[in-house]
């Protein structure tokens, strides 16, 4: 196969995506990253978009084999933030000039329909921020209520497009359900984010190629590809972490396939590689998710260990981050950053 031709095709086949994911020669890999960077610039512009995350509860009713928050991890100290603490943290984030607030938790039904609706409504009344919910699989009626209360987006990762692997990692859940939730959210006016983890046990390159094609089929507004990191006190604690270069190739191939989509340079990537964020931003990514959970809670949101966290002063962190972005010749967007599909005119 001819690399240049593939990198410039409008549509890629599964085999062509596999070819890109398998590029190990450093100069070929760089060509892939450079083309992804170019596609990102053409279709999405040069701005780096920020999201402020509040991880408001680390309770979870699920038991995903890879995740430190799984219900059966009795070693983890659990916490729940009060609605007042969550709303106050949202104000800190919007005062930093970050206008997307991601409310994230394990699947925790302690926060019922009305409580989440109240939190959304209060934040929307007092800030100009968009709200992304990342609460796992909840009821269809709840999604409807939260949309009316003011929620804008929903992040629900499909984790893997393989039905077989999905049922291994999630004993109680089915991939079809997850996909029907994502489709319901999209048809009910949410901007949706999803995608996979790279390097999960038993995953093949072919599976990753299917993940990228599934992202396309779902017409995602945001696709978050992050490496798997083994987490202590989980069944996968002794497994190997995902490969940084393979994660970057996945992000780059996804950028070329998906075009008008937000792709984050994830915290997981930054955890495995000091320069992970910058490498990601140079390989197709255009968002950074800043963890702005109050410090004493943040330490307990242990999806995996050694999570790359910001210092305790979010203001310092943001300034330092801004300098890094400017060094790349990019600038930070201080807008709500709604879906690129809705806001940019570039067509094929
Ligand atoms: N390594 C990396 N990412 C993980 N997640 C869960 N466990 C891990 C892990 N061990 C990600 C999943 C999930 C989100 C909450 O965190 O993609 O959707
Ligand atoms: Fe819970 Fe999400 Fe972790 Fe699964 S990945 S155990 S649903 S927090």
């Amino acid at each position: 196969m001819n690399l240049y031709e593939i990198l410039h095709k409008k549509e890629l086949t599964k085999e062509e995506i596999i070819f890109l994911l398998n590029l190990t020669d450093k100069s070929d890999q760089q060509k892939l990253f450079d083309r992804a960077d170019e596609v990102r610039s053409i279709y999405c512009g040069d701005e780096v978009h920020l999201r402020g995350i509040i991880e408001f509860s680390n309770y979870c009713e699920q038991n995903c084999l890879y995740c430190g928050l799984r219900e059966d991890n009795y070693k983890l100290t659990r916490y729940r933030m009060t609605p007042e603490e969550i709303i106050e943290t949202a104000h800190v984030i919007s005062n930093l000039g970050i206008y997307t607030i991601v409310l994230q938790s394990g699947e925790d039904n302690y926060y019922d329909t009305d409580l989440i609706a109240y939190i959304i409504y209060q934040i929307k009344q007092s800030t100009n921020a968009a709200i992304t919910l990342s609460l796992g699989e909840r009821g269809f009626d709840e999604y409807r209520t939260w949309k009316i209360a003011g929620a804008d987006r929903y992040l629900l990762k499909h984790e893997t497009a393989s039905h077989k692997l999905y049922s291994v990692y999630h004993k109680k859940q089915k991939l079809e359900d997850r996909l029907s939730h994502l489709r319901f959210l999209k048809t009910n006016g949410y901007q949706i984010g999803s995608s996979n983890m790279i390097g999960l046990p038993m995953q093949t390159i072919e599976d990753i190629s299917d993940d990228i094609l599934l992202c396309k089929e779902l017409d995602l507004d945001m696709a978050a590809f992050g490496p798997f990191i083994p987490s202590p006190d989980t069944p996968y604690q002794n497994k190997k972490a995902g490969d940084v270069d393979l994660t970057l190739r996945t992000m780059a191939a996804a950028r070329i396939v998906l075009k008008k989509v937000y792709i984050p340079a994830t915290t997981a990537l930054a955890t495995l590689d000091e320069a992970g964020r910058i490498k990601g931003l140079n390989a197709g990514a255009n968002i950074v998710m800043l963890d702005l959970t109050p410090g004493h809670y943040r330490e307990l949101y242990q999806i995996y260990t050694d999570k790359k966290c910001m210092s305790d002063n979010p203001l310092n962190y943001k300034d330092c981050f801004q300098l890094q972005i400017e060094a790349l010749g990019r600038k930070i967007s201080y807008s709500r950053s709604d879906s690129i599909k809705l806001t940019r005119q570039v067509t094929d």
Side-chain angles (χ1 to χ4, degrees):
M1 289 197 213
N2 178 304
L3 177 57
Y4 182 88
E5 271 175 28
I6 293 176
L7 291 178
H8 289 81
K9 279 181 70 173
K10 253 195 191 153
E11 303 271 337
L12 264 63
T13 63
K14 179 170 169 180
E15 285 63 39
E16 287 163 342
I17 297 172
I18 292 175
F19 174 81
L20 295 180
L21 296 175
N22 275 325
L23 291 175
T24 42
D25 177 86
K26 286 282 165 207
S27 86
D28 285 347
Q29 186 174 267
Q30 194 55 49
K31 285 181 191 138
L32 166 64
F33 297 161
D34 290 348
R35 175 61 183 157
D37 198 45
E38 188 177 51
V39 171
R40 188 267 310 141
S41 177
I42 295 170
Y43 287 91
C44 311
D46 291 329
E47 289 179 315
V48 175
H49 303 265
L50 300 182
R51 275 85 171 93
I53 308 187
I54 310 174
E55 298 158 337
F56 64 88
S57 160
N58 70 352
Y59 281 81
C60 187
E61 292 159 25
Q62 294 298 342
N63 243 325
C64 309
L65 296 194
Y66 43 77
C67 179
L69 304 193
R70 63 200 304 274
E71 189 174 33
D72 286 354
N73 182 5
Y74 300 110
K75 295 231 174 114
L76 184 66
T77 306
R78 305 282 174 166
Y79 71 87
R80 288 188 175 113
M81 287 172 64
T82 64
E84 289 67 35
E85 285 176 309
I86 299 169
I87 294 161
E88 200 181 301
T89 310
H91 292 158
V92 171
I93 295 175
S94 91
N95 288 336
L96 286 172
I98 298 175
Y99 294 116
T100 291
I101 292 165
V102 183
L103 298 177
Q104 186 162 71
S105 65
E107 268 187 44
D108 183 6
N109 281 286
Y110 168 89
Y111 298 87
D112 63 13
T113 319
D114 290 350
L115 191 51
I116 295 290
Y118 168 78
I119 295 165
I120 295 168
Y121 185 75
Q122 290 297 328
I123 296 174
K124 293 291 289 210
Q125 288 300 304
S126 52
T127 69
N128 291 320
I131 292 189
T132 301
L133 300 176
S134 177
L135 315 176
E137 283 177 30
R138 300 284 300 245
F140 285 18
D141 284 346
E142 300 194 286
Y143 299 143
R144 270 199 211 100
T145 305
W146 298 335
K147 189 82 195 56
I148 294 164
D152 301 277
R153 308 176 192 147
Y154 208 99
L155 172 57
L156 183 66
K157 295 190 51 172
H158 70 256
E159 316 292 4
T160 173
S162 154
H163 290 267
K164 208 172 92 209
L165 291 180
Y166 195 93
S167 63
V168 173
Y169 306 142
H170 317 98
K171 299 236 155 49
K172 287 194 284 180
Q173 294 173 290
K174 287 206 200 75
L175 179 59
E176 297 94 86
D177 290 337
R178 182 135 302 206
L179 300 182
S180 72
H181 282 242
L182 280 162
R183 292 191 178 107
F184 180 88
L185 287 159
K186 182 99 187 170
T187 46
N188 278 273
Y190 281 88
Q191 298 167 42
I192 55 168
S194 190
S195 197
N196 73 347
M197 252 184 286
I198 319 288
L200 280 165
M202 296 167 284
Q203 182 191 51
T204 63
I205 292 287
E206 201 172 313
D207 292 324
I208 300 176
S209 171
D210 287 337
D211 286 326
I212 295 175
L213 289 169
L214 177 59
C215 292
K216 186 167 178 213
E217 188 195 318
L218 290 168
D219 194 20
L220 298 183
D221 303 291
M222 192 266 243
F225 304 89
F228 161 71
I229 303 176
S231 181
D233 308 309
T234 65
Y236 287 166
Q237 61 185 350
N238 296 320
K239 301 289 181 191
K240 229 173 75 210
D243 181 77
V244 170
D245 278 348
L246 177 58
T247 305
L248 291 167
R249 291 198 295 277
T250 305
M251 292 162 63
R255 168 59 71 203
I256 292 168
V257 172
L258 305 174
K259 300 184 178 68
K260 278 192 192 179
V261 69
Y262 287 111
I263 297 181
T266 62
T267 307
L269 187 59
T271 300
L272 289 184
D273 183 330
E274 285 265 298
R277 282 232 162 95
I278 300 297
K279 287 183 182 174
L281 290 171
N282 283 328
N286 62 340
I287 325 187
V288 173
M289 322 262 279
L290 302 179
D291 184 351
L292 295 164
T293 310
H296 48 296
Y297 295 129
R298 198 186 320 133
E299 285 163 21
L300 296 172
Y301 204 81
Q302 292 166 5
I303 291 175
Y304 46 81
T305 37
D306 301 326
K307 194 169 71 172
K308 177 104 179 141
C309 283
M310 42 166 280
S311 72
D312 267 326
N313 185 340
L315 259 181
N316 290 348
Y317 183 65
K318 208 189 89 196
D319 288 349
C320 151
F321 188 70
Q322 184 162 346
L323 292 176
Q324 287 180 30
I325 300 294
E326 282 164 5
L328 296 179
R330 309 260 289 271
K331 53 180 192 306
I332 293 182
S333 159
Y334 289 100
S335 72
R336 269 170 54 115
S337 312
D338 280 304
S339 173
I340 303 162
K341 292 179 206 263
L342 304 172
T343 54
R344 274 182 73 91
Q345 299 303 324
V346 187
T347 48
D348 292 309

